[in-house]
Amino acid sequence: RANEASISTLFWGPNYEASTIMFSCNVGLRSLRCHQRQVANVHVDMVVGVCILRASSLSDEPDILHPIVRMHVVDAATGQYLKPIREFRVGTSTTWHEGSSTIQMSSCGGVGDVGGVGDVNISVDHVLPIATAPYALQGRNAAPVWNETRIVDTRFCELVNSNSVLLFEIIDFNLVQPWATRREHLSGLHGLAWAYLRLDGGVEQSVEFPIRLQLYDYQVLSPLARYHARARGLAPPPAPAASKVPAVYLQYLYKRRTCHMSRSSLLVRIEPISRPKYCRVHQRPVHPNERECMNDSLAISSKLELSGSGNNANTKEKTQDARSFCAVCRSRYSSEFCVIPDKLLCRIDAGACGALTIQFSPKGRMLAVAAVESLFCPIRLYDVTSFVGNVPSAATAAASFGVRIDQDAKGAILLADLDGHHDIIYDICFTTDERFLLSASADGLAKVWDLGALAALSDFIRPKYAPQILCIFQVGISQKVYAATFVDDKTDCILQDVAQATRRLNHHSKCPFVLTGSCHGAISHWNPQTCASGGLLGGRQEHLGHVNCIEVDWHSDRVYSGDSLGVIIVWRKDGNGDSVDHFCKIRNIEVPELNCRPILSMQLHPTLRRAHLLVQAGISTLRLLDLSTGRAVSCFKGNLVTSALIRAQFSPEGKIVIAGSEDGRIYAWDSKSCASLALPAVHAQCNAPICDVSWHPTQHVIAYTCYCTDHPVLLYSAERPKSVGDHRKAPLLSSTESVAG
């Protein structure tokens, strides 16, 4: 009791009750007052249950994308993994690989050899490390939450009484991190932080409260430490042999010399649990006690068909859509790199003077073309790539309001012609559900269009009427509107459940609020329900030049506006954006390279957690800005921009930067190395400036347009790489054609 009281005073403070202590914790532990509760005595057959809850904010590195927590149970003296339980009861199991083989050696042939495989079979004789599922960090959030329980194949009483230590490490399998900053680790992973926990004492009671472990940064081992690791047999053997000592154990030993505490901590819970029962499942196993077996009811015989008769009608309807087959070949998974297109998909006759702005919808179902005719400037909506997803394609949905579509037709299909502007359209923007379209024009008007049946909604809540105008915002007489965007558009509106769709029907019919930027240097806030202005952001004219572009960061609730003098203003949105009072100015970003150069386009990096902004400015200035420091981190050179409105854009995964040019060519760069990428020879030079480019969000398709001539809108495509080698070459090379010099 005296020892327990002294330990409690050391770790938890003098007010801690010594009667509730089960064991003492030698951990990298932060001081934390927790409540304990007593439970029944631990049964001798209970195993260890580890619940990994969450971690505080990790280091703010843009390459940390999918952190994983991996736990090792090792001997504190030798560093080797502990032995698992061998007294199995019939029908119980905790680890999928119990009794599996780590290596099989082929022999030169002998008695009893089959297929050249000998009798040398080394089985797994230790507790395998356990890991959580990767947690995808979204936006600027650097605090991962796992909330996963894992089972350790050892008795709880043996773990407490033995000289064992639990090593936790937070790792990431992200392979795009540069080698100059990659931490030392094995197996293609790099370590972020690690922690340890040692359990000593009796097992009469159990503790079920969370324990906050101090995290330590990974350190590069000194040459002397490497020498001692090899001398003691702790260094990992060459592949394919596996080491019985985890690499994090060397960090645990090296901590005695150099202790680099991280600012983060890891919250875990250790408790004894009963061994799970053995069970069989008919799908892929997701738990350690599951075994996969074949379902006899799904066996294919001569009396059963491969698919049910109820699905035959749907299958025939899908096979009749010839455009969908081509869309599948061009489709891109979210984890794949984009491929630079290498063949012409189709041409679209834009107008008498071409088109200044084009934009793919967020789901890729439509392409909006802001055409320039002699007397008016319409917005034409096309279905150019079909659509593979949970909702019907735009061409199929257009049949609900009387448009007859030939599904076997090749090329672009005109869905709607939105006639309403009488001067050049500078900017267009979709909502996430493709229900509303916003346009900004030089005639001093910003218009919101209700696309009706063309929206990317389920059949239960999608309207049946044709696209129509919803509201008009008039900035003023002779006031050109250069930029427009929706304020709050975070919800994904593709619903499948009827009840859920009915409950949220009123929500989807509401159009988000709108921000517009015009030539008088102010940003106006508009209410689509009343078509009235809510005022100016900041209450006055904050920009000294024309507001040429507005970019909204949905993750961090920031709004960035750029003007004709090269100044970027950062705004913070505190509420939901339905009032102008929710916006306040944070600071100005003034980069020397952009001084007195008009900002023509801006786009946030689509994947990096730390905000990076791609800025295309005048005098051939294309920079990538780090918004946390306000400095340019990358410079892209090659395209010509002097007086025309030229825009640049990221590829959907952020690996490629592509931009137009006044010399009629398309230029592409690697977003990290800034190296220029050669385009296939099929991308011919145009006889007019290429003003805008748009990349399809889910397919290997790109579109670009020219202005001042009757040049058509060109769309190029590429098929998805079929091999791993082609997938790795995707950012640099096309899939079917070699690159021309």
Side-chain angles (χ1 to χ4, degrees):
R1 292 296 181 181
N3 293 334
E4 292 175 351
S6 62
I7 293 173
S8 64
T9 303
L10 176 62
F11 284 95
W12 309 106
N15 297 327
Y16 193 82
E17 295 182 4
S19 60
T20 60
I21 295 179
M22 182 198 71
F23 50 77
S24 62
C25 299
N26 291 327
V27 295
L29 192 63
R30 286 187 173 179
S31 179
L32 178 66
R33 292 289 305 276
C34 299
H35 297 284
Q36 300 184 4
R37 62 186 181 91
Q38 300 181 3
V39 297
N41 292 337
V42 180
H43 194 270
V44 67
D45 288 336
M46 285 188 173
V47 295
V48 180
V50 180
C51 182
I52 301 173
L53 301 176
R54 62 182 181 272
S56 57
S57 296
L58 301 175
S59 58
D60 190 13
E61 295 185 7
D63 292 320
I64 301 177
L65 301 178
H66 305 88
I68 305 172
V69 176
R70 188 163 61 176
M71 193 195 73
H72 311 266
V73 184
V74 300
D75 188 275
T78 62
Q80 296 188 356
Y81 290 102
L82 293 185
K83 303 295 182 181
I85 301 175
R86 289 308 178 192
E87 297 82 6
F88 299 133
R89 291 182 296 176
V90 178
T92 63
S93 176
T94 59
T95 307
W96 173 254
H97 296 283
E98 284 180 358
S100 300
S101 174
T102 58
I103 185 172
Q104 281 189 344
M105 300 180 62
S106 59
S107 63
C108 297
V111 179
D113 292 346
V114 178
V117 178
D119 295 334
V120 180
N121 192 350
I122 305 175
S123 61
V124 176
D125 59 350
H126 58 270
V127 177
L128 295 175
I130 60 176
T132 63
Y135 180 82
L137 294 175
Q138 301 291 337
R140 311 299 172 256
N141 180 25
V145 179
W146 293 279
N147 287 332
E148 298 185 17
T149 301
R150 294 293 183 263
I151 302 172
V152 181
D153 187 23
T154 185
R155 289 191 178 95
F156 188 84
C157 56
E158 294 180 355
L159 179 66
V160 174
N161 293 326
S162 62
N163 185 26
S164 59
V165 60
L166 277 66
L167 299 177
F168 299 86
E169 55 177 345
I170 301 181
I171 57 179
D172 195 351
F173 57 87
N174 181 22
L175 299 181
V176 301
Q177 187 179 14
W179 286 99
T181 59
R182 184 183 295 275
R183 295 179 177 88
E184 182 180 17
H185 213 281
L186 300 175
S187 305
L189 304 171
H190 63 276
L192 307 177
W194 65 277
Y196 70 96
L197 171 63
R198 293 190 63 179
L199 308 178
D200 303 321
V203 292
E204 286 78 8
Q205 297 175 355
S206 173
V207 176
E208 296 183 350
F209 60 84
I211 303 176
R212 189 176 297 276
L213 304 179
Q214 172 67 54
L215 290 174
Y216 299 89
D217 293 329
Y218 267 81
Q219 302 298 321
V220 179
L221 299 181
S222 63
L224 181 60
R226 296 173 184 269
Y227 171 77
H228 285 294
R230 290 191 297 268
R232 295 178 56 183
L234 302 179
S243 176
K244 294 185 178 181
V245 179
V248 69
Y249 181 71
L250 299 179
Q251 298 288 332
Y252 172 71
L253 296 179
Y254 199 60
K255 170 186 171 294
R256 302 175 183 177
R257 284 182 168 271
T258 59
C259 180
H260 294 270
M261 290 188 180
S262 174
R263 294 178 298 176
S264 306
S265 59
L266 180 65
L267 196 65
V268 299
R269 185 173 65 245
I270 311 294
E271 57 185 354
I273 61 175
S274 301
R275 294 174 58 84
K277 296 295 183 180
Y278 174 83
C279 63
R280 292 180 177 271
V281 294
H282 303 304
Q283 68 275 359
R284 183 177 180 180
V286 295
H287 296 290
N289 60 318
E290 295 179 349
R291 293 292 188 273
E292 183 179 4
C293 62
M294 185 182 67
N295 190 356
D296 297 336
S297 62
L298 299 179
I300 301 175
S301 60
S302 58
K303 297 181 180 180
L304 297 178
E305 297 181 358
L306 182 60
S307 59
S309 59
N311 297 331
N312 291 336
N314 297 333
T315 305
K316 291 181 180 180
E317 292 179 0
K318 292 182 180 180
T319 55
Q320 291 177 358
D321 190 357
R323 296 168 57 86
S324 299
F325 286 99
C326 299
V328 171
C329 298
R330 298 188 301 263
S331 62
R332 181 186 64 86
Y333 296 126
S334 59
S335 60
E336 287 183 342
F337 291 146
C338 287
V339 175
I340 295 180
D342 57 359
K343 58 183 178 182
L344 182 64
L345 179 62
C346 64
R347 296 181 177 89
I348 298 177
D349 293 332
C353 298
L356 186 64
T357 305
I358 57 175
Q359 183 67 45
F360 275 109
S361 60
K363 306 297 181 182
R365 300 168 65 249
M366 293 178 288
L367 175 67
V369 179
V372 180
E373 300 288 355
S374 57
L375 298 178
F376 60 96
C377 297
I379 301 177
R380 297 188 174 104
L381 302 179
Y382 295 89
D383 185 342
V384 295
T385 60
S386 186
F387 181 75
V388 180
N390 298 327
V391 295
S393 64
T396 304
S400 60
F401 58 87
V403 178
R404 295 183 179 181
I405 302 298
D406 183 9
Q407 297 290 357
D408 294 331
K410 296 182 180 181
I413 299 177
L414 179 62
L415 304 176
D417 197 335
L418 308 179
D419 183 12
H421 288 287
H422 299 279
D423 208 337
I424 298 174
I425 299 174
Y426 288 107
D427 196 8
I428 51 179
C429 178
F430 285 91
T431 55
T432 305
D433 59 355
E434 302 179 1
R435 173 68 185 275
F436 302 101
L437 174 66
L438 176 63
S439 59
S441 174
D443 57 4
L445 301 178
K447 297 186 177 183
V448 178
W449 308 83
D450 186 358
L451 300 185
L454 298 181
L457 301 175
S458 61
D459 295 334
F460 305 104
I461 60 177
R462 188 175 66 249
K464 304 301 181 183
Y465 51 82
Q468 59 187 4
I469 191 168
L470 179 65
C471 57
I472 301 176
F473 307 135
Q474 184 173 1
V475 178
I477 302 176
S478 69
Q479 295 280 350
K480 296 183 179 181
V481 184
Y482 293 114
T485 183
F486 291 105
V487 175
D488 192 4
D489 185 25
K490 295 182 180 180
T491 56
D492 189 3
C493 303
I494 299 180
L495 301 177
Q496 300 298 327
D497 186 73
V498 180
Q500 186 179 6
T502 305
R503 289 193 301 267
R504 303 183 63 184
L505 179 58
N506 295 331
H507 172 73
H508 293 306
S509 61
K510 183 178 179 181
C511 178
F513 289 80
V514 174
L515 294 178
T516 61
S518 58
C519 61
H520 56 70
I523 301 177
S524 303
H525 183 274
W526 301 89
N527 186 356
Q529 310 302 325
T530 61
C531 298
S533 174
L536 304 179
L537 266 63
R540 60 188 180 90
Q541 176 183 343
E542 294 290 347
H543 287 277
L544 300 180
H546 306 329
V547 180
N548 292 334
C549 45
I550 303 174
E551 185 73 10
V552 179
D553 189 353
W554 312 113
H555 300 289
S556 62
D557 289 335
R558 297 289 190 272
V559 178
Y560 306 95
S561 56
D563 60 17
S564 58
L565 300 180
V567 179
I568 300 175
I569 297 181
V570 183
W571 307 83
R572 181 176 69 246
K573 182 169 68 72
D574 296 328
N576 54 7
D578 58 355
S579 174
V580 71
D581 298 331
H582 293 173
F583 298 87
C584 63
K585 179 180 176 181
I586 300 178
R587 61 190 176 99
N588 290 1
I589 299 179
E590 298 182 5
V591 183
E593 294 91 332
L594 303 179
N595 187 21
C596 297
R597 300 184 181 184
I599 297 178
L600 305 178
S601 69
M602 297 190 307
Q603 185 188 8
L604 288 166
H605 197 286
T607 58
L608 291 183
R609 291 192 302 108
R610 180 178 293 174
H612 284 67
L613 188 66
L614 181 66
V615 178
Q616 174 67 72
I619 319 181
S620 305
T621 305
L622 183 56
R623 299 290 187 269
L624 182 63
L625 306 183
D626 188 346
L627 296 178
S628 60
T629 60
R631 298 180 179 179
V633 295
S634 299
C635 175
F636 307 96
K637 298 180 180 180
N639 65 328
L640 177 62
V641 180
T642 56
S643 59
L645 178 59
I646 306 296
R647 291 185 172 94
Q649 191 181 41
F650 279 112
S651 59
E653 93 291 2
K655 301 295 181 183
I656 304 176
V657 174
I658 193 166
S661 177
E662 292 186 9
D663 57 6
R665 297 181 180 179
I666 289 289
Y667 291 84
W669 303 268
D670 184 82
S671 61
K672 283 198 170 182
S673 64
C674 301
S676 180
L677 305 181
L679 297 178
V682 69
H683 293 267
Q685 183 176 359
C686 302
N687 57 359
I690 297 179
C691 297
D692 198 4
V693 293
S694 183
W695 208 302
H696 197 283
T698 59
Q699 297 184 20
H700 297 296
V701 176
I702 188 174
Y704 58 84
T705 181
C706 299
Y707 177 60
C708 297
T709 62
D710 57 351
H711 196 282
V713 177
L714 300 180
L715 286 91
Y716 290 87
S717 65
E719 294 186 357
R720 181 161 50 90
K722 300 180 181 180
S723 62
V724 178
D726 293 338
H727 172 74
R728 293 178 179 177
K729 294 180 180 179
L732 301 180
L733 302 177
S734 57
S735 58
T736 59
E737 184 175 343
S738 60
V739 172

